[in-house]
Amino acid sequence: MPKRVLFIMSDTGGGHRAAAEAIRDALIAKYGDEVQCQMVDGFRHYSPFPFKYMPEFYPWLINHSKSSWGVGYKLSNTRRRAKVAAQAIYLTAEKRLKRMLREYPADVVVSVHSVLTHLAMQAMMAQEKRPPFVVVVTDLVSTHMFWYDRRADRTLVPTLPALERGLEAGIKAEQMRITGLPVHPQFEKKLLDKAVARQQLGWDANLPAILMVGGGEGMGPLYKVARAINSRKLKCQLIIIAGRNKTLKEKLEESDWNQPVKVYGFVTDMPKLMAAADILVTKAGPATISEAAIAGLPLILFDAIPGQEEGNVDFVVENKAGEYAPTPKQVADAAQQWLSEGAAGLKRRSDAARSIAKPNAVWEIAEEIWEYAHKPAITTNRRNILKDVVERSKLLNSLQSLTD
Ligand code: UDP
């Protein structure tokens, strides 16, 4: 009988699915038919209105009102508030989440989503027996309190600051491990030689290539940044990935450019594009940063989602893997400066970017999950169920006090 692994994720941005798929494929590569993986979008399929629209609402909010997202993130980012907020969402989604666990019986449940961590744990605690629960934190540094649930059997974090946040949340050090962020096992293997990658992609063989991306959804001021670089008439080629942002793609395609430009929609061969490029201009997405490090691609960060991505900027800058350039003009300045340093300068920056790479993270995470898949189901005794009832009345009181 294969070991059943259930991944709980949501398509809020591209990173959660990417992380779950990376771990799933590492598990399959290592354990073949002995493992069976399922993946569910906990918001889309097992939460009521309005949460079921989180995959649409999240990129919309980031693109239209980033500051409100930041305020919500900061307000909810204490141990107590995160718990109250997650419990409140849980109350609305409880029946559906319990159905999810019935529909996907598993030997181990893995959460790769901050908010869904507490929700899934809570639903499991209502079962008489529950499978082991592993949390894989897919934000890099400034991790939200939502990620940390003391009842989780294992919490795998990407960096030391993320582990320290876990300690603040009351998780014991021995319950956690620093692995790095999971990047698809094929990513490293698919990194072609630069010249070969360029030839396959039909890019200019000789001009330095600036690759631009704004996460899976084409978020942030990508268009303005591209125009600022364009205005410098640099000796380079500009490669812009609009992701799922169709409006942005059309706008880019309709514009006139001073240097060779290629515009892509959502690409499925990121390793090839990163291998072919010399500089990556991007928002501070955790998956993109981790992939760029493995590709040895130095970063110019033009944007960070307030809250969860802000710490990523310091992480990149402190480790000399890239620079922060928060305005289109500053991005153009940095690109111009980097290109003026020639091939030797780009090589130095590329080596620095590679120094933060963790290509083994995905294998270490897969091994941990495999280990937990072999542990017996855990009895959630009556005390826990009673505790749940007490927690619930406490929550109702907290909610009442917030509205008083
Ligand atoms: N990505 C992709 N194709 C695209 C754009 C992005 O495969 O056209 C992937 C990218 O390689 C990364 C993920 O989407 O794995 C983006 O994750 P990140 O954490 O950087 O940002 P998010 O989209 O979650 O905000």
Side-chain angles (χ1 to χ4, degrees):
M1 175 95 165
K3 289 289 172 194
R4 298 157 305 174
V5 182
L6 173 62
F7 288 97
I8 299 180
M9 44 73 68
S10 183
D11 282 319
T12 49
H16 302 112
R17 180 178 287 277
E21 287 179 351
I23 305 165
R24 177 198 64 193
D25 291 351
L27 280 164
I28 294 169
K30 240 176 135 57
Y31 308 109
D33 292 347
E34 291 174 66
V35 67
Q36 204 176 67
C37 298
Q38 300 277 4
M39 204 175 291
V40 294
D41 187 324
F43 277 132
R44 164 82 72 227
H45 300 296
Y46 293 97
S47 304
F49 177 86
F51 304 108
K52 66 190 291 185
Y53 292 110
M54 277 303 270
E56 286 82 15
F57 184 56
Y58 174 77
W60 181 89
L61 187 63
I62 302 293
N63 274 332
H64 292 85
S65 183
K66 217 169 67 164
S67 52
S68 341
W69 171 266
V71 170
Y73 188 96
K74 287 195 175 98
L75 279 179
S76 58
N77 197 10
T78 67
R79 248 170 103 170
R80 186 173 162 273
R81 288 193 192 146
K83 196 167 169 188
V84 170
Q87 281 276 20
I89 302 174
Y90 177 74
L91 287 184
T92 69
E94 183 176 16
K95 270 197 197 142
R96 289 175 171 84
L97 291 167
K98 287 180 178 167
R99 177 161 59 81
M100 172 182 81
L101 295 176
R102 280 198 304 276
E103 286 176 357
Y104 294 95
D107 297 300
V108 61
V109 176
V110 181
S111 169
V112 294
H113 194 286
S114 59
V115 182
L116 293 168
T117 291
H118 181 88
L119 269 55
M121 184 83 244
Q122 197 66 21
M124 285 200 292
M125 292 308 278
Q127 297 176 320
E128 259 178 53
K129 274 187 175 249
R130 67 164 179 89
F133 186 50
V134 178
V135 179
V136 180
V137 175
T138 59
D139 287 324
L140 264 183
V141 179
S142 39
T143 42
H144 196 283
M145 279 291 150
F146 278 138
W147 278 111
Y148 303 102
D149 193 312
R150 281 188 293 176
R151 298 165 298 181
D153 302 288
R154 195 75 167 138
T155 299
L156 304 173
V157 295
T159 58
L160 180 62
L163 182 125
E164 286 165 349
R165 293 281 293 156
L167 294 174
E168 269 175 57
I171 304 197
K172 294 194 188 86
E174 58 268 27
Q175 271 173 279
M176 292 187 279
R177 175 175 168 194
I178 303 174
T179 54
L181 205 88
V183 169
H184 199 281
Q186 283 298 321
F187 190 92
E188 203 182 10
K189 291 191 187 128
K190 285 187 181 166
L191 287 173
L192 299 173
D193 171 74
K194 187 167 290 191
V196 176
R198 282 192 181 188
Q199 197 205 359
Q200 289 188 7
L201 290 161
W203 298 5
D204 187 291
N206 301 312
L207 283 174
I210 302 180
L211 179 64
M212 300 184 58
V213 62
E217 306 295 332
M219 284 191 263
L222 220 52
Y223 183 77
K224 283 189 185 149
V225 172
R227 296 310 292 176
I229 297 174
N230 184 61
S231 71
R232 303 292 169 99
K233 301 188 174 156
L234 301 172
K235 251 189 132 224
C236 71
Q237 52 190 323
L238 207 53
I239 317 295
I240 314 169
I241 302 173
R244 295 192 189 88
N245 190 336
K246 291 201 175 81
T247 321
L248 172 67
K249 183 167 182 278
E250 279 165 22
K251 206 166 154 186
L252 289 164
E253 282 168 343
E254 283 162 9
S255 303
D256 291 324
W257 300 96
N258 294 324
Q259 66 285 295
V261 167
K262 273 201 188 302
V263 177
Y264 293 87
F266 191 86
V267 301
T268 52
D269 50 358
M270 193 60 94
K272 196 187 281 182
L273 277 90
M274 285 197 180
D278 296 294
I279 298 172
L280 183 64
V281 173
T282 180
K283 77 175 183 75
T288 304
I289 292 172
S290 307
E291 292 163 0
I294 295 175
L297 194 54
L299 301 132
I300 300 176
L301 300 175
F302 63 76
D303 200 12
I305 297 178
Q308 78 262 38
E309 287 185 0
E310 278 167 356
N312 303 357
V313 172
D314 299 335
F315 178 70
V316 165
V317 174
E318 280 164 18
N319 287 292
K320 303 194 168 42
E323 276 180 24
Y324 183 45
T327 65
K329 181 185 170 300
Q330 282 167 294
V331 175
D333 288 345
Q336 192 162 9
Q337 170 65 32
W338 289 21
L339 291 179
S340 75
E341 293 165 7
L346 287 176
K347 166 84 175 61
R348 185 173 41 81
R349 290 182 189 278
S350 165
D351 291 344
R354 200 171 283 113
S355 72
I356 60 165
K358 294 251 191 199
N360 282 331
V362 73
W363 300 111
E364 288 173 18
I365 293 167
E367 281 160 18
E368 286 266 357
I369 290 169
W370 187 242
E371 185 189 325
Y372 277 83
H374 286 81
K375 292 191 190 272
I378 297 150
T379 307
T380 49
N381 56 31
R382 277 189 67 79
R383 251 183 74 219
N384 279 333
I385 295 168
L386 281 174
K387 244 164 92 183
D388 192 36
V389 175
V390 174
E391 288 275 331
R392 217 171 259 242
S393 67
K394 273 199 215 155
L395 168 74
L396 288 175
N397 286 340
S398 300
L399 288 175
Q400 224 156 20
S401 68
L402 288 179
T403 51
D404 280 349

